[in-house]
Amino acid sequence: QETLVESGGGSVQAGGSLQLSCAVSKYAKNSCTLAWFRQAPGKEREFVSSITRRGTTNYTESVQGRFTISQDTTKNTLWLQMNSLKTDDTAVYYCAGRPCGWNEFGYWGQGTQVTVSS
């Protein structure tokens, strides 16, 4: 069963903006933390940003001040607003959920491609 479904990826020029969305299904509603990860070609998957149920956010340094994570728990939706995009932001972006009490993210989406051109 699908737990997380991303949308909103696409191609944009450097300096532009994109907003990613992640629909959280009933199978992943027990997630205490939702996050975005990304994986660029030839690189390992890396953490981008996370948000807890209480709204505490965290960002990797390279996106601080440019990306904003948010959620609507009533609509079971997670967003990632990406501004001032750089070519280095090109990657497949994944939505992830960490169930309460777990030390790792147990739910993953299928990913959405973000391509930033110069």
Side-chain angles (χ1 to χ4, degrees):
Q1 63 273 11
E2 289 185 330
T3 54
L4 301 167
V5 180
E6 305 95 336
S7 61
S11 297
V12 65
Q13 288 192 324
S17 299
L18 280 176
Q19 185 182 63
L20 304 182
S21 299
C22 175
V24 182
S25 77
K26 61 180 181 180
Y27 301 106
K29 287 184 66 176
N30 65 337
S31 297
C32 273
T33 301
L34 294 171
W36 291 97
F37 287 76
R38 67 186 179 186
Q39 186 167 20
K43 296 186 177 181
E44 294 186 354
R45 186 169 58 193
E46 66 171 353
F47 168 83
V48 176
S49 180
S50 65
I51 187 168
T52 67
R53 279 185 177 176
R54 293 185 176 184
T56 300
T57 59
N58 190 26
Y59 299 91
T60 191
E61 186 175 351
S62 64
V63 307
Q64 188 80 39
R66 299 188 299 120
F67 290 10
T68 303
I69 191 170
S70 61
Q71 64 184 345
D72 185 332
T73 55
T74 63
K75 296 182 179 180
N76 300 316
T77 304
L78 176 73
W79 292 281
L80 184 68
Q81 177 65 42
M82 305 185 294
N83 298 329
S84 302
L85 283 162
K86 305 176 181 180
T87 56
D88 287 347
D89 295 319
T90 295
V92 177
Y93 283 71
Y94 297 91
C95 178
R98 181 168 62 199
C100 300
W102 286 35
N103 292 324
E104 59 186 30
F105 287 87
Y107 304 124
W108 293 90
Q110 81 288 351
T112 186
Q113 177 70 47
V114 171
T115 303
V116 184
S117 59
S118 59

